[in-house]
Amino acid sequence: MKLTIKRVPTVVSNYQEDAGERPRGGCGRNCLGHCCLPVSELPVYAFKANPTKLLLQEDAVPTDFFINLLLGQWEDRMTQGLFRYDVTACETKVIPGNLGFVAQLNEGRHLKKRPTEFRVDRVLQPFDSAKFNFTKVGQEEVLFQFENSGSDDSYFLRSAAVSVADRAPNVVAINVSPIEYGHVLLIPRVLDHVPQRIDQESFLLALHMAAEAASPYFRLGYNSLGAFATINHLHFQAYYLTVPFPVEKAATQRIPLAEGGIKSGVKVSKLMNYPVRGLVFEEGNTLNDLANVVSSACIWLQDNNVPCNVLISDSGRKIFLFPQCYAEKQALGEVSQELLDTQVNPAVWEISGHIVLKRRDDYEEASEASAWRLLAEVSLSEARFEEVKAYIFDAACLVQSQAEEETDEAIYAPVLVGPSAVGEGCLVIP
């Protein structure tokens, strides 16, 4: 099934309207650094402080304002020529098979994408201001600030002075080397020079972004160093794709938790019959509870030098966590030359089933079997995965019940994703 994209109407950029009136200052490059940002004005999207109702009321009517705003502003930056290539011209198809892997042909992306500037064998590395980081990005790439409204309502300001008195701003900017339509970056506390490492506050911010989107087709992803993050400055990625990811359709097995360890309300499962072993965290009494549990797991992984990828799905209700070892296998010469020749770096999107291919032959010959072979190299062994899972549970204060060992038959439950409202073969951005 071949996918095509229908573009949304362009929302006029604040920069087009107000560029002549905005005060100039700083280094003259109008960047996101300390030199320019504190004397700048940017749009602000203020999100709901407590989206509990959104998490609990699955039948609630979602708002499409956030998605339309983000995609419209992204489209505007495309008309300004800020991207390194036109991702909407890339061929995309759903590969026949049980899981429906999505393949995209993006010839030359690896040549136009910013190269990695740090070691791949260490998950935690200090921030280096001499290397590329997001404070060097021009403000024309920013869509808006993303801040807490402090109330139960969301709102949007077309222009507001950037305040740095109490805390550094969070910004949403385009990814100039996009994988998909609407590909953006969420950069928490951009002026604080936080390296690529998850903390509870930043992870909760990412969940808030997913909750504001209120769409099963808008996902956020995170790559640690060693798991194919290419910039050592804290950021999440996100884009909008109206087909289910294969990992969202994969079967899962619930891991029973002891009563003393489920006060957060978070439920945990493990992926079954999927090429990459991973954990699925969902629900939670509040968004904060879910963020606490998953961020604690991620913090243990990064503190113990275990690379990982994270997918935030279902409007922030489900999080997929993948400890991985592909870069380690590469370094040890354990990855076949055939896979290395594809030049595919299996980061969060590839692991989730959206695979970006650089060569037409690989795209034309893509199959579920070839996707499975690639992703299987990413996965920890079963023994190592179970060992890591035990440490993660301890770090997140989760206690596994012995009930699972007493169960004769595993019960599998697919992760639900609503059907697309468009006809087969057409990917439509509303």
Side-chain angles (χ1 to χ4, degrees):
M1 179 174 71
K2 184 173 289 188
L3 304 178
T4 58
I5 292 175
K6 179 180 179 181
R7 297 179 180 175
V8 300
T10 298
V11 176
V12 177
S13 166
N14 290 305
Y15 301 102
Q16 292 176 341
E17 292 183 335
D18 303 325
E21 301 176 7
R22 265 200 345 271
R24 297 284 179 175
C27 68
R29 293 186 293 113
N30 207 27
C31 68
L32 292 181
H34 284 280
C35 51
C36 298
L37 194 56
V39 295
S40 301
E41 292 187 0
L42 290 172
V44 177
Y45 186 96
F47 57 84
K48 292 182 286 291
N50 183 15
T52 303
K53 294 181 180 179
L54 177 65
L55 288 175
L56 296 179
Q57 298 178 2
E58 296 184 4
D59 57 347
V61 177
T63 176
D64 59 1
F65 178 78
F66 179 86
I67 286 293
N68 287 341
L69 171 70
L70 183 145
L71 293 177
Q73 292 292 297
W74 188 92
E75 177 94 12
D76 172 70
R77 302 313 189 272
M78 185 164 66
T79 64
Q80 293 184 37
L82 299 182
F83 296 97
R84 295 181 175 175
Y85 50 82
D86 182 4
V87 72
T88 65
C90 295
E91 296 179 46
T92 301
K93 65 182 179 181
V94 176
I95 300 172
N98 294 326
L99 291 174
F101 287 99
V102 181
Q104 180 196 98
L105 176 61
N106 197 331
E107 295 174 290
R109 180 177 189 267
H110 59 299
L111 301 175
K112 300 173 184 177
K113 189 174 182 290
R114 196 179 310 279
T116 301
E117 297 181 296
F118 46 81
R119 294 173 56 177
V120 297
D121 61 343
R122 298 301 304 172
V123 173
L124 295 181
Q125 297 177 44
F127 183 90
D128 186 346
S129 59
K131 296 178 180 178
F132 177 81
N133 62 80
F134 296 116
T135 64
K136 300 181 181 183
V137 166
Q139 292 181 24
E140 67 277 4
E141 296 179 17
V142 175
L143 305 187
F144 43 77
Q145 301 175 72
F146 189 69
E147 305 294 347
N148 194 323
S149 72
S151 70
D152 291 336
D153 297 317
S154 304
Y155 62 86
F156 177 69
L157 300 177
R158 296 180 64 82
S159 183
V162 176
S163 174
V164 297
D166 298 324
R167 56 179 292 111
N170 312 306
V171 299
V172 176
I174 60 171
N175 186 331
V176 296
S177 299
I179 286 177
E180 189 48 76
Y181 188 90
H183 195 168
V184 296
L185 304 171
L186 171 63
I187 310 166
R189 311 189 308 276
V190 63
L191 290 177
D192 285 351
H193 294 176
V194 182
Q196 186 72 343
R197 62 181 302 165
I198 281 179
D199 56 53
Q200 195 275 344
E201 180 183 359
S202 64
F203 196 78
L204 179 59
L205 184 72
L207 293 190
H208 274 293
M209 188 174 184
E212 286 296 317
S215 168
Y217 304 120
F218 185 81
R219 295 93 166 178
L220 283 89
Y222 175 86
N223 302 314
S224 76
L225 301 188
F228 300 104
T230 56
I231 298 170
N232 189 23
H233 191 175
L234 180 58
H235 65 286
F236 296 81
Q237 303 182 48
Y239 59 74
Y240 188 84
L241 182 65
T242 55
V243 293
F245 279 3
V247 74
E248 294 171 328
K249 298 189 292 183
T252 60
Q253 181 183 10
R254 181 65 50 82
I255 299 174
L257 302 177
E259 291 185 5
I262 56 175
K263 294 179 181 179
S264 66
V266 175
K267 298 178 180 178
V268 187
S269 306
K270 60 182 178 181
L271 286 168
M272 307 297 293
N273 303 321
Y274 196 74
V276 185
R277 294 179 176 87
L279 295 172
V280 184
F281 300 83
E282 55 189 310
E283 299 185 18
N285 298 325
T286 66
L287 207 64
N288 193 63
D289 286 327
L290 186 57
N292 281 338
V293 169
V294 181
S295 62
S296 295
C298 294
I299 289 169
W300 184 91
L301 290 170
Q302 62 197 19
D303 286 349
N304 288 274
N305 203 37
V306 180
C308 72
N309 308 92
V310 182
L311 177 72
I312 299 173
S313 175
D314 194 19
S315 303
R317 296 183 183 93
K318 291 185 177 70
I319 294 99
F320 298 82
L321 175 60
F322 306 96
Q324 73 140 294
C325 59
Y326 190 84
E328 178 184 354
K329 287 184 177 180
Q330 276 185 303
L332 295 173
E334 296 177 358
V335 178
S336 72
Q337 191 61 45
E338 178 186 3
L339 291 180
L340 294 176
D341 287 344
T342 67
Q343 303 179 68
V344 174
N345 293 327
V348 61
W349 307 120
E350 287 77 13
I351 291 172
S352 302
H354 187 193
I355 301 174
V356 180
L357 298 169
K358 281 82 171 181
R359 304 185 302 184
R360 177 163 290 279
D361 285 349
D362 294 330
Y363 179 77
E364 297 291 349
E365 298 170 7
S367 65
E368 186 165 281
S370 64
W372 195 285
R373 279 196 304 274
L374 169 67
L375 296 184
E377 294 294 333
V378 176
S379 184
L380 301 184
S381 68
E382 183 175 359
R384 176 59 174 159
F385 177 78
E386 290 298 325
E387 178 185 12
V388 168
K389 177 169 73 71
Y391 284 120
I392 285 175
F393 271 47
D394 185 57
C397 298
L398 299 171
V399 180
Q400 185 170 344
S401 167
Q402 297 301 311
E404 184 182 26
E405 297 179 2
E406 299 170 0
T407 302
D408 293 328
E409 295 182 359
I411 300 175
Y412 304 131
V415 178
L416 298 178
V417 175
S420 174
V422 302
E424 183 174 341
C426 184
L427 174 59
V428 178
I429 304 296

